[in-house]
Amino acid sequence: MQHYEIAIVGGGLAGQVAALALGRAGRKVCLIAASPKHDDGRTTALMDQSVRYLERLGVWDRIAPSSAALSVMQILDGTNRLLRAPPAQFRASDIGLHAFGYNIPNKALAEVLDSALATEPNLSRIETNVESIALTADKVTIAIDGGEVIEADFVIGADGRKSITREAAGIDVRKWSYQQSALVLNFAHTLPHGNVSTEFHTESGPFTQVPLPGSRSSLVWVVRPEEASRLTSLPTEELSTIVEARMQSILGKVTVEGKAQAWPLSSMMAERFGAGRVALIGEAAHAFPPIGAQGLNLSLRDSMTLADLLSGQHDRPIPADAGDRYNRRRKPDVMSRTFSVDLLNRSLLTDLIPVQMVRAAGMHVLNAVSPLRNALMQEGVEPGRSLKNFVRELGKQIRR
C-alpha cells in the first residue's frame, strides 16, 4: 500500500496549486484526479496577492504572457431604474500598484500548472477517480478505481461541489440558487481597452468586460436562464451586435470569438472547511456567482493557509487536528466574502426603492471619500490590510 503525507483529491486549478505549493514545501504529495481536459473557455482575474503567490511558486513568468493587466476598474449603472448609481472608477495606481491583478484564460493557467507539476519531485499523480475515503484519528485510507488503496496522513478535498471528500468527513453544506445564468465568451474589438475593466450593473445582474492581451476581452454576462439559452443559440454576428450595444460601443465594433457558454448560478458553503485530518478547498468548500473576481482568489488563499499550516515543520508528522486549525483560520474570510457577493448580487436584482437608494448613496460616498475608496480597493486585492490603511489615510485627510 502506497503511503503519502498528503493526498489531494481533485485536479482543478485549486487542487493543482495546492499540490504544487505543498510539494515544493517538502511534503510527499499525491494528486488524485482523472486526466485533465483543458477545454474551459472561461478566464480568471487573479488579484495582486494571488499573482505574488504564483511568483513565489515559480510559475508566474510562464503565465504572464497569456495575461492582461487590470489597471482600472469602473462600474456603470446600466439599469433603467428611477434611482441610478453614479459611475465609479478605481485605479490601481491610487494604492501603489501597477495593476489590481491580471486576467488569464483558464486553459493557459491549467497548462502551465500541469507542466510545473510534471517536474515536481515530491509529487505523484494518479489519474483516476476516487471510489471511497475512510477517515480515522490516525490516517486516511483512499480507495481508487481499479481496486488500489492509498494511505495518507492528511487529505485535501479539491473535488468540487459534489465532493466525495466532504461527504466522507460528514460535513454538511448550505446551498442556495439564483434564477440566473452566466453567459461567458471572449470577443475582439476595434478600440483598445487600455487595461480597463468595465462592469455594467443591469436588472439581471452584472455585465463585466475584462481585458485580454491585444484588442480582446472576456465577458461574464449574468442574465435569466431563458435569456442565456436564447443568447447562446444566436448566430455569432447577431450576438456580437447585441454585446456591442450592451457595452454602449465603448470598445468599438465587437466580434464574438467561438461559442458562448452558459453556466447556471448558485452558491454553496460548507458548514466547516476542515476537521481532523481533512481540509476542503475551492468549490468543495465554497462557491458563489462570478462577481467581484473572488472565486479562484479565495481558493488560492485556501492553498496559502494550508501551505503555511502544513509546511512550517515538514520534517514532523502532520498533527491530527490540522483540519480544525485550518477551519478556524479560513472561516472569517470565506464567510465574509460569501455574504458580500450574495448581498451585492441580490441588491442588483431588487426593484425596491430603499435598496436602490442605498446602492446609489454608497457609490456617491465612494466617489467622495478617497480613503474609503482606497480601503475598499486594498481589501479586494489583499483582505485584512485595508482597515489599518483606512485609519491612516483618514488621519491624513483630517490633518489637511
Side-chain angles (χ1 to χ4, degrees), residues 20-347:
L20 185 62
L22 291 164
R24 294 194 171 172
R27 291 294 188 184
K28 186 180 179 184
V29 179
C30 174
L31 179 62
I32 309 171
S35 300
K37 297 179 181 180
H38 301 317
D39 58 355
D40 189 345
R42 294 172 294 177
T43 66
T44 295
L46 292 181
M47 296 296 101
D48 182 70
Q49 182 187 35
S50 298
V51 169
R52 286 187 278 113
Y53 184 47
L54 295 178
E55 283 179 340
R56 294 196 296 274
L57 294 178
V59 295
W60 176 248
D61 285 348
R62 283 177 280 168
I63 296 169
S66 300
S67 71
L70 309 179
S71 299
V72 178
M73 296 185 183
Q74 59 184 357
I75 298 175
L76 304 176
D77 192 328
T79 69
N80 294 314
R81 289 171 175 155
L82 177 64
L83 294 175
R84 301 179 65 195
Q89 192 171 85
F90 306 90
R91 294 182 175 274
S93 57
D94 289 344
I95 56 172
L97 296 175
H98 167 66
F100 293 111
Y102 294 81
N103 192 36
I104 310 152
N106 286 3
K107 180 179 179 181
L109 186 55
E111 288 174 348
V112 170
L113 291 171
D114 265 348
S115 176
L117 291 171
T119 59
E120 174 50 51
N122 287 323
L123 176 70
S124 298
R125 299 190 72 166
I126 299 177
E127 295 186 346
T128 189
N129 294 312
V130 170
E131 289 188 346
S132 65
I133 299 174
L135 304 164
T136 68
D138 301 320
K139 65 181 180 181
V140 181
T141 305
I142 303 171
I144 61 175
D145 284 352
E148 188 177 354
V149 176
I150 294 165
E151 282 190 351
D153 299 324
F154 193 81
V155 61
I156 297 172
D159 44 347
R161 298 188 187 215
K162 298 180 180 180
S163 171
I164 192 172
T165 311
R166 188 182 63 233
E167 183 179 348
I171 297 174
D172 291 331
V173 296
R174 285 178 282 170
K175 300 178 181 177
W176 59 101
S177 59
Y178 308 92
Q179 288 301 308
Q180 298 167 289
S181 292
L183 186 76
V184 180
L185 55 88
N186 296 333
F187 65 94
H189 39 82
T190 55
L191 297 179
H193 51 57
N195 298 117
V196 177
S197 174
T198 301
E199 180 169 294
F200 291 87
H201 286 175
T202 78
E203 289 88 350
S204 65
F207 174 102
T208 308
Q209 165 266 333
V210 189
L212 284 171
S215 294
R216 300 174 62 245
S217 292
S218 62
L219 175 68
V220 178
W221 185 2
V222 177
V223 293
R224 298 291 182 185
E226 58 274 15
E227 178 66 0
S229 297
R230 185 185 76 85
L231 291 169
T232 54
S233 67
L234 293 176
T236 300
E237 185 175 341
E238 187 174 349
L239 180 57
S240 300
T241 301
I242 292 172
V243 170
E244 181 183 332
R246 180 76 266 188
M247 289 202 66
Q248 301 174 15
S249 297
I250 61 174
L251 292 178
K253 182 177 174 57
V254 163
T255 304
V256 171
E257 301 174 345
K259 179 71 175 172
Q261 298 175 310
W263 302 78
L265 295 192
S266 62
S267 289
M268 180 278 293
M269 185 169 63
E271 296 287 352
R272 294 178 59 87
F273 308 118
R277 296 189 176 276
V278 179
L280 304 175
I281 67 174
E283 291 199 344
H286 44 74
F288 42 72
I291 297 172
Q294 293 301 314
L296 186 57
N297 291 284
L298 192 64
S299 299
L300 293 191
R301 292 200 293 277
D302 295 341
S303 176
M304 293 176 206
T305 302
L306 277 175
D308 184 49
L309 283 171
L310 302 180
S311 65
Q313 296 176 318
H314 61 263
D315 57 333
R316 297 185 184 182
I318 294 174
D321 66 343
D324 298 280
R325 298 184 192 182
Y326 169 76
N327 176 64
R328 288 192 294 270
R329 288 182 56 174
R330 291 301 298 139
K331 201 166 188 176
D333 184 24
V334 174
M335 292 186 70
S336 64
R337 297 287 153 161
T338 302
F339 174 76
S340 299
V341 169
D342 181 67
L343 183 64
L344 175 59
N345 189 42
R346 292 184 189 277
S347 76

Side-chain angles (χ1 to χ4, degrees), residues 18 44 51 96 169 183 210 213 248 319 358 367 377 393 397 400:
T44 295
V51 169
L183 186 76
V210 189
Q248 301 174 15
V358 170
N367 283 330
M377 290 189 286
E393 283 199 38
Q397 294 285 335
R400 288 174 185 168

Side-chain angles (χ1 to χ4, degrees), residues 334-395:
V334 174
M335 292 186 70
S336 64
R337 297 287 153 161
T338 302
F339 174 76
S340 299
V341 169
D342 181 67
L343 183 64
L344 175 59
N345 189 42
R346 292 184 189 277
S347 76
L348 297 177
L349 299 178
T350 183
D351 289 321
L352 293 174
I353 296 296
V355 176
Q356 295 177 35
M357 290 175 64
V358 170
R359 285 186 59 246
M363 288 299 183
H364 277 294
V365 170
L366 286 177
N367 283 330
V369 184
S370 58
L372 181 60
R373 184 174 63 254
N374 291 348
L376 180 66
M377 290 189 286
Q378 289 164 343
E379 184 67 18
V381 169
E382 184 170 353
R385 296 182 61 185
S386 60
L387 180 59
K388 181 174 66 176
N389 292 335
F390 171 62
V391 172
R392 184 173 62 245
E393 283 199 38
L394 189 58

